[in-house]
Amino acid sequence: MTVDVKIWGIVQGVGFRPFVSRLAAVNGITGWVANEGGHVHIVATGTRDAIVRFLAGLAGENDGPAAVVHMETNYAVEPQTFDCFTIIESSKGKDDLVFLAPDLAICPECERELFTATDRRYLHPFISCMQCGPRYSILEQVPYDRDNTTMVDFKMCSFCAGQYGDFGDRRYHAETISCHDCGPQLLWTGLGGQTERFVALAAAVKALNTGKIVAVKGIGGYHLACTPFCTETVDNLRELKGREAKPFAVMFRNLAEVKKFCQVSVKAAQLLTAREKPIVLLPRKSSAIVASVYKLSRYLGAFLPYTPLHHLLLRETGPLIMTSANISDQPIIKDDAVMLGIKHHHLAGVLFNRRQIRIGIDDSVVRSTGSGEQVIRRARGYAPVPVYLGPVSDRPVMLLAAGGQLKNTFCLTKQNFAYLSQHIGELDNVEAIAVYQHNIERMTSLLRIQPEAVCCDLHPDYTTTKFALRYAQAKGVQLFRLQHHFAHIAAVLAEKQIFEPVIGVAFDGTGYGTDGKIWGGEFLLCTPQGFERGAHLQYVPMLGGDAAIKEAWKTACMYLDHAGLEAAIEEEKWPLLKAALLAGVNTISSSSMGRFFDAASAILGLQRVATYEGECAIQLENKAAEYGADRPRGKPYRYQLQAQDGKIIVDVGPCICDLVTAKTAMVPLPVIAYNFHYTVADLTANVCELLREKYRVNRVVLSGGVFQNAILFDLTVDMLQRRNFTVAFNSVVPPNDGGVSLGQAFAGTYLLRGEI
Ligand code: ZN
Ligand code: ZN
Ligand code: FE
C-alpha cells in the first residue's frame, strides 16, 4: 500500500529527512521525502505492517532535535511503486507557515568530540552541528542561514567551510559551525576590568572553586553561577540579585550526579535528559547542598548541561547554581555591555564571548506529578515551537493574544498553529514591558503574521490590556476581551483539541470577573466559544486590592470574620481593618482559591506574609507533604454548597471553623494541612458531580496557578477519576498565567470567525 504523509513542526534544517530515509530503510519502505514550504511531504510504499511501523516511527521520538507538531496521513492514495527511498529536491509549497527551531542542547556526538583529544574541536566551548547549538536566540531574520544569525560576525575558516559544504558531513549546512580558529572566543573579565582570552576558563573555574560568583554567558542570556555548598556564597548571590527568596536551580554534570542529591523517578529522568534540557523540580534528598539554595521548598530545581561550555565548567567545578542573571525580577541580561557594566563586590567576573544574543530566553521549568507532566515555565528549548490547535479553522485567522500580567507569555496564531512566546515574566517594570513589545514585533515579523485581531484580559489595569487597546487602535484591528479563568480553561482545550463542552475548574490567585469582582475559585461550563459560570467559592471581602495580596494574615482575618469567628482573631491591627471593612474603604469581593489557601496558611501560623506570589500556599503544601503517603486517607473538613441564582456557591466558612478548632485541639499541623487539601479536592469533586447532573457533561478540565500544588493536583485528579470523570489538564503550557495567552488565542479564533 501507499500513503501520503505531511508533517508540520521543527522538521527542516535539523536532519529530519535523513532520519526519515533511515526509518524507511529499516522498515523496507520505498518512496520519497521532500521539504515543501513549511512542512515535510512523504510518499511511502510498503506492506501494511511496514507502513504502520514507519508511521509510528515518524510520530514517535527521533534521535535528533526534530519536533513533530502535527502529522496528516492520507491512506486513500493510488498504490505507487518505487525502486528505493529518496530525498528529493525541496519545493516552495503553498503554505506560508514558518517553523523556527528552538535553541538546541549540545548533542551526544558533539559532546564526544568535545572531550576527544585528537579532535579539531577538542574543548571548543562553542562546538555545534546540524543537530545542536543556538537557533532562535541568535536569529535575525528568516530563512535560518548563517548570514541571518549573529554567527555572521564569525567568518568560517577553510576547515569549517569544507565541512559546511560537504554533503556527507554531519556539519553540512550547520549554520552555527565553528572551531577554535574561527568561532567565538571564550573571554574573561575579572574585577580588574581587564579582558583576557587564553586563561578565561581557568580564571572562572578558580573563582567558582573559591566560593565566588561568576556571570556566565549562555544561550538565552547570562547566568549567575556559584557553588551550592556554601551558605555565605549563596547568601551573597541573593544579595547580588536583590535579596530574592525564590529557590535557585542547580546544574549537575550528569544524571548519576543528580541522583545523589534528588529522588529521580523514571519519568523525571526522561524530562532531565529530554532534548529541551529543562530545569526539573525534584524531591530533594538531604545532602551537602545548603538550605539557602532551596529555601523552604521540598524540591530542588535540577538540570543538566546544555552547552559545551557548561560541560567544560562543571567537570572542573562540580554542581553549580545557575540562575538567570537579572536584578530584582527584571528581564534576563543578554547584552555583554550590560553584564560587564554591573560592578558589584560579590561578582568576581564575567565569562563571555562576542556572539550576540538577539532575545533573552530563560531556562524552562517542568516537573512530573503523579498525574502527568507539568510545565511551570515554558521558555528555552520549547519556544517558539507551536501548538497544533486541531482542525479549528476553514478560514485561517491570524491573531495576537496579549496574555496575562504575571508570568507573561503572548501568543500568535496562523492557520491551525499557535505560536507561544517564551516566558517574558512580570510586566511590572519598564524593562520587561520593552522586552514584551520587542518580542511581539520580532515574532510577528519572523513568522510573517499580520494579526487581524488582538485578544486580551478583562482586567483594566493589566499592562497587556492597555497594550492591546493601543495595538488594536493603531492597527485598526478588532479587539476581544476574554475572562481570565475562561482563558485558563481554553488553554487546556487548545492543547488537547477539545471542542465539546467541559466543566472547567479554574483555581487561581487573581482574575478579573465579568461582574468586576475578583474571581479565582471557579467552575465554568466551557466550550472554545464561551462559558457559563456554574459555581464558585463564596465571595469574601478583601482589603487593599492587589497590594494586600501578599499579606496573608489580612486575608486570614477576612476569612475568620466572614466565618463568624471574629473572636478568634488575635491580630492587633484587626480593629483598624474591621473599620475599613465596615466603611467599605478599598474593599473588593474575591472568590479566589489562592486567597483561601493563603488564609489557611496564615491561620495555621505557617506564613503570614508572602515574599513572592504563592509562597504562603507553598508553605501549606510543604506541611501537608509531611503527612506522608503511608498514613490513612484524608478526611474532609466541612463546607456548604448553596444554590443561588442558578449557580452553586461554595461556602468554606465551616472549613475555616474546623481549621481553628483543629489547631486549638493541637492536632498535628501536617494532618490539618493535608486534610485541608483533601477538603478542596473533595468539594471540587462534589461540585463537579452536581454540574454533571445539571449540564450532562462528564469531562472536567483543571487549570490555574493553584494546580501547581502537586498534592492538591494529584488528590483532585484521583478523586475525579474515582467518580468516573474524564480529566484533562495542561501539559504543554503552564497551568499558571503563562498559559493564559494560548487560551485567549484559541477562544479568539472562534470570536474572530463570529462563531459565538
Ligand atoms: Zn551537535
Ligand atoms: Zn573553523
Ligand atoms: Fe491566572
Side-chain angles (χ1 to χ4, degrees):
M1 67 185 289
T2 299
V3 288
D4 184 298
V5 187
K6 285 182 180 145
I7 299 178
W8 288 263
I10 311 306
V11 288
Q12 298 184 352
V14 287
F16 188 68
R17 285 176 304 162
F19 163 73
V20 174
S21 45
R22 281 198 302 278
L23 203 59
V26 169
N27 292 296
I29 298 283
T30 60
W32 53 263
V33 55
N35 282 337
E36 266 175 28
H39 63 267
V40 164
H41 189 184
I42 301 165
V43 171
T45 297
T47 64
R48 182 169 295 273
D49 282 357
I51 292 284
V52 167
R53 283 195 306 272
F54 178 65
L55 293 176
L58 287 177
E61 283 294 302
N62 53 70
D63 44 11
V68 174
V69 175
H70 177 55
M71 182 166 138
E72 274 175 21
T73 308
N74 184 1
Y75 295 90
V77 289
E78 285 294 307
Q80 300 174 53
T81 47
F82 303 94
D83 296 333
C84 55
F85 193 89
T86 45
I87 298 178
I88 65 172
E89 198 65 23
S90 300
S91 69
K92 247 187 132 14
K94 283 188 290 290
D95 66 14
D96 185 37
L97 287 166
V98 179
F99 294 92
L100 304 172
D103 297 304
L104 305 170
I106 182 174
C107 74
E109 270 184 271
C110 285
E111 190 185 329
R112 206 184 54 236
E113 288 179 7
L114 180 66
F115 292 117
T116 302
T118 52
D119 195 277
R120 175 160 177 129
R121 296 186 182 84
Y122 177 53
L123 305 184
H124 176 44
F126 307 97
I127 188 171
S128 67
C129 70
M130 190 73 174
Q131 309 254 356
C132 73
R135 295 288 187 273
Y136 188 56
S137 63
I138 59 166
L139 193 63
E140 305 263 19
Q141 55 186 348
V142 285
Y144 170 69
D145 285 328
R146 189 180 181 97
D147 289 353
N148 288 339
T149 71
T150 59
M151 281 304 287
V152 73
D153 295 341
F154 304 92
K155 194 179 172 327
M156 271 185 250
C157 68
S158 58
F159 173 78
C160 287
Q163 290 186 328
Y164 183 87
D166 177 0
F167 183 76
D169 196 280
R170 71 185 191 89
R171 289 194 173 84
Y172 176 63
H173 272 268
E175 310 296 346
T176 55
I177 190 171
S178 75
C179 69
H180 288 288
D181 290 346
C182 66
Q185 304 295 329
L186 201 56
L187 303 167
W188 166 260
T189 302
L191 281 175
Q194 245 166 344
T195 299
E196 294 164 277
R197 180 179 153 190
F198 296 104
V199 295
L201 186 70
V205 166
K206 187 176 163 212
L208 289 166
N209 285 344
T210 49
K212 305 259 173 44
I213 299 164
V214 168
V216 180
K217 190 174 184 179
I219 296 297
Y222 276 90
H223 278 124
L224 294 172
C226 70
T227 176
F229 301 120
C230 170
T231 301
E232 194 190 334
T233 303
V234 182
D235 288 345
N236 289 345
L237 178 61
R238 293 197 178 274
E239 195 186 319
L240 179 57
K241 281 195 76 165
R243 293 187 189 280
E244 64 163 38
K246 289 179 201 164
F248 291 131
V250 177
M251 186 179 275
F252 296 92
R253 267 174 290 194
N254 49 44
L255 190 58
E257 195 173 69
V258 181
K259 288 179 176 168
K260 287 186 204 157
F261 297 91
C262 305
Q263 293 168 36
V264 185
S265 66
V266 175
K267 276 186 195 156
Q270 283 167 355
L271 291 175
L272 276 167
T273 55
R275 60 176 164 232
E276 293 89 359
K277 294 288 183 297
I279 295 169
V280 185
L281 302 183
L282 300 167
R284 272 187 296 114
K285 288 182 180 171
S286 69
S287 73
I289 291 179
V290 296
S292 184
V293 174
Y294 48 81
K295 289 280 172 177
L296 303 158
S297 177
R298 59 199 169 99
Y299 302 106
L300 184 70
F303 61 147
L304 295 177
Y306 57 85
T307 71
L309 179 58
H310 292 155
H311 282 288
L312 296 175
L313 269 178
L314 265 80
R315 76 173 185 155
E316 307 282 345
T317 63
L320 287 177
I321 291 178
M322 283 280 200
T323 178
S324 292
N326 57 4
I327 310 298
S328 304
D329 273 344
Q330 287 187 4
I332 184 170
I333 296 170
K334 66 175 178 59
D335 294 324
D336 304 337
V338 176
M339 194 69 239
L340 291 165
I342 292 179
K343 305 288 180 207
H344 192 284
H345 57 286
H346 287 324
L347 184 63
V350 180
L351 187 64
F352 69 112
N353 67 81
R354 299 285 184 203
R355 181 171 67 203
Q356 297 177 64
I357 298 172
R358 272 295 162 259
I359 46 153
I361 307 186
D362 289 276
D363 292 312
S364 297
V365 183
V366 304
R367 73 149 161 230
S368 133
T369 71
S371 316
E373 178 181 325
Q374 226 180 29
V375 179
I376 307 289
R377 182 165 76 194
R378 189 178 182 274
R380 179 190 48 76
Y382 298 89
V385 181
V387 176
Y388 179 64
L389 296 178
V392 285
S393 166
D394 298 326
R395 182 173 88 77
V397 292
M398 292 192 268
L399 53 77
L400 163 65
Q405 177 74 8
L406 303 172
K407 301 184 169 65
N408 172 272
T409 62
F410 63 86
C411 184
L412 292 158
T413 68
K414 188 172 186 178
Q415 295 187 30
N416 299 349
F417 295 91
Y419 296 82
L420 227 72
S421 75
Q422 75 276 26
H423 163 89
I424 308 269
E426 331 299 341
L427 295 181
D428 55 2
N429 57 75
V430 287
E431 291 82 1
I433 295 167
V435 165
Y436 174 73
Q437 297 190 0
H438 171 72
N439 271 281
I440 289 177
E441 278 163 34
R442 179 177 190 268
M443 212 157 143
T444 46
S445 123
L446 285 175
L447 300 172
R448 295 197 290 268
I449 292 177
Q450 299 89 35
E452 302 159 64
V454 54
C455 308
C456 69
D457 202 271
L458 286 182
H459 202 303
D461 297 335
Y462 276 9
T463 307
T464 46
T465 305
K466 293 172 186 166
F467 171 84
L469 290 168
R470 282 199 312 274
Y471 188 94
Q473 200 162 37
K475 307 264 175 183
V477 298
Q478 270 181 285
L479 175 79
F480 299 118
R481 297 185 69 168
L482 297 141
Q483 202 280 324
H484 186 84
H485 303 101
F486 169 54
H488 269 303
I489 300 302
V492 182
L493 302 184
E495 266 190 29
K496 304 291 178 283
Q497 297 169 35
I498 299 171
F499 303 96
E500 309 83 47
V502 301
I503 299 165
V505 181
F507 288 169
D508 202 19
T510 309
Y512 200 84
T514 52
D515 55 2
K517 295 177 177 175
I518 299 299
W519 291 12
E522 309 304 313
F523 296 79
L524 312 173
L525 183 82
C526 290
T527 67
Q529 283 93 331
F531 75 95
E532 182 180 318
R533 200 180 190 195
H536 62 88
L537 284 196
Q538 189 170 47
Y539 284 125
V540 174
M542 295 286 156
L543 280 178
D546 288 356
I549 278 177
K550 290 182 171 173
E551 295 178 290
W553 66 270
K554 282 190 184 171
T555 308
C557 289
M558 294 300 152
Y559 266 92
L560 287 165
D561 185 52
H562 193 73
L565 290 173
E566 194 179 355
I569 300 176
E570 290 163 1
E571 297 290 345
E572 232 172 77
K573 290 187 188 151
W574 168 242
L576 226 60
L577 296 184
K578 179 76 177 183
L581 191 61
L582 289 174
V585 179
N586 200 12
T587 37
I588 184 150
S589 291
S590 158
S591 60
S592 160
M593 182 58 84
R595 295 294 84 74
F596 182 43
F597 270 79
D598 286 352
S601 184
I603 287 168
L604 296 180
L606 295 173
Q607 184 129 1
R608 286 166 48 83
V609 179
T611 59
Y612 57 89
E613 198 208 1
E615 196 185 13
C616 296
I618 288 170
Q619 287 293 69
L620 190 62
E621 183 190 347
N622 287 344
K623 238 340 135 198
E626 290 173 23
Y627 182 68
D630 48 337
R631 310 282 272 282
R633 287 187 57 176
K635 215 171 57 204
Y637 293 126
R638 293 171 301 148
Y639 53 87
Q640 259 170 13
L641 306 181
Q642 300 153 352
Q644 205 178 81
D645 306 330
K647 288 193 286 282
I648 300 162
I649 310 296
V650 186
D651 179 6
V652 291
C655 173
I656 294 285
C657 296
D658 287 352
L659 283 182
V660 173
T661 310
K663 192 179 173 233
T664 316
M666 309 281 271
V667 176
L669 284 177
V671 177
I672 307 179
Y674 186 81
N675 284 341
F676 176 80
H677 283 75
Y678 195 88
T679 307
V680 175
D682 184 71
L683 76 82
T684 304
N686 281 334
V687 171
C688 285
E689 281 207 47
L690 292 173
L691 295 176
R692 169 161 64 186
E693 252 168 65
K694 179 173 173 187
Y695 294 113
R696 306 266 154 225
V697 167
N698 195 50
R699 197 200 298 258
V700 177
V701 162
L702 308 177
S703 191
V706 169
F707 283 112
Q708 288 174 115
N709 179 325
I711 293 177
L712 178 70
F713 181 61
D714 285 341
L715 272 175
T716 307
V717 171
D718 179 64
M719 225 176 273
L720 287 166
Q721 283 172 344
R722 280 169 194 272
R723 300 191 197 186
N724 296 318
F725 283 103
T726 311
V727 187
F729 41 82
N730 298 101
S731 55
V732 178
V733 301
N736 61 44
D737 284 7
V740 159
S741 66
L742 177 64
Q744 291 175 343
F746 189 54
T749 59
Y750 284 88
L751 289 168
L752 188 54
R753 284 177 290 126
E755 288 182 12
I756 200 159

